[in-house]
Amino acid sequence: MIDEKNISVLAALEFNSIAKGFQALDEMIKTAPVRIIEARTISQGKYLIIFTGDVASVEYAFIKGKETSEDFIVDTLILPGVHPQVVESLGNIIEPEDWNTVGIIETKTITSGIQAADIAAKESPVLIVEIRLANGFGGKSYVKMTGRIEDVQASMNAAVTEISKKELLCAETIIPQPHIEVKEFFVKKKEY
């Protein structure tokens, strides 16, 4: 588990080449003392790097990663002041106590899913239950959240508006008063 209290900036680079992703990873680590949170292949032959560190180191590594494999970049993200819930829910499921309203945002890239979660968490007091990172989803990502209906609506609107500008939104839905039997599947752990 990542210590989310010590992360103030989060960055991600998503490549459409595994080889170029590894090359960028090597160059980034040689350039600046960043901490790699996730570096792996994902669906559709893509490569993902998620990292953190002090602001200057993250910026230097980010620039180096982009320069190294610029023609192979699918999506990028730097989140200074990243919301702690984003780091906590990256690839994890946070058990919700509130079961009032559910919101789900499905994006075309992992990076845009992370951005959507950060926007949603900062917009209103929702719980980011999970940011699912691609495997088995054709390179997509999705964000699950719960909260009061007005909070989920506000968070969803803010995140969807921003992700739509990048043309990376697949779908979104709000489910008010979801059936209690849905909860088991909403918080189901990965089995692959």
Side-chain angles (χ1 to χ4, degrees):
M1 181 91 109
I2 302 160
D3 182 8
E4 65 273 355
K5 294 177 201 133
N6 294 326
I7 295 180
S8 63
V9 60
L10 186 76
L13 292 166
E14 196 168 332
F15 302 91
N16 64 9
S17 164
I18 296 165
K20 290 299 185 176
F22 271 109
Q23 181 183 4
L25 176 64
D26 180 66
E27 292 294 327
M28 291 164 60
I29 293 170
K30 289 176 180 174
T31 299
V34 291
R35 190 171 109 224
I36 305 301
I37 294 172
E38 188 81 60
R40 65 179 166 97
T41 56
I42 54 177
S43 295
Q44 296 184 329
K46 296 194 302 184
Y47 195 80
L48 172 70
I49 304 169
I50 301 174
F51 57 104
T52 189
D54 63 79
V55 175
S57 295
V58 167
E59 288 176 356
Y60 286 131
F62 183 84
I63 290 166
K64 188 62 171 182
K66 282 181 69 175
E67 287 174 352
T68 301
S69 301
E70 193 163 359
D71 294 339
F72 298 90
I73 290 180
V74 174
D75 199 6
T76 66
L77 177 67
I78 292 185
L79 287 175
V82 63
H83 196 284
Q85 280 194 66
V86 171
V87 178
E88 185 179 359
S89 61
L90 270 174
N92 295 311
I93 297 175
I94 310 305
E95 185 75 35
E97 292 178 20
D98 181 15
W99 194 240
N100 183 321
T101 302
V102 166
I104 303 170
I105 301 172
E106 182 181 353
T107 64
K108 294 178 182 176
T109 65
I110 290 177
T111 308
S112 58
I114 296 168
Q115 181 181 14
D118 188 60
I119 293 166
K122 289 175 178 174
E123 181 66 27
S124 59
V126 294
L127 173 68
I128 303 300
V129 174
E130 179 184 23
I131 304 170
R132 187 62 70 99
L133 307 175
N135 279 347
F137 307 115
K140 295 191 237 178
S141 176
Y142 63 86
V143 178
K144 298 186 293 191
M145 66 189 81
T146 62
R148 298 179 317 160
I149 191 162
E150 59 272 15
D151 294 332
V152 172
Q153 286 174 332
S155 289
M156 293 280 293
N157 287 341
V160 165
T161 298
E162 195 59 36
I163 299 308
S164 293
K165 289 178 187 175
K166 295 170 62 176
E167 298 181 2
L168 294 174
L169 180 70
C170 287
E172 30 94 19
T173 191
I174 296 175
I175 306 169
Q177 300 177 337
H179 195 284
I180 193 63
E181 289 183 26
V182 171
K183 187 174 184 181
E184 172 188 351
F185 301 98
F186 193 74
V187 296
K188 189 173 186 174
K189 304 281 188 238
K190 300 179 222 178
E191 294 181 0
Y192 47 87

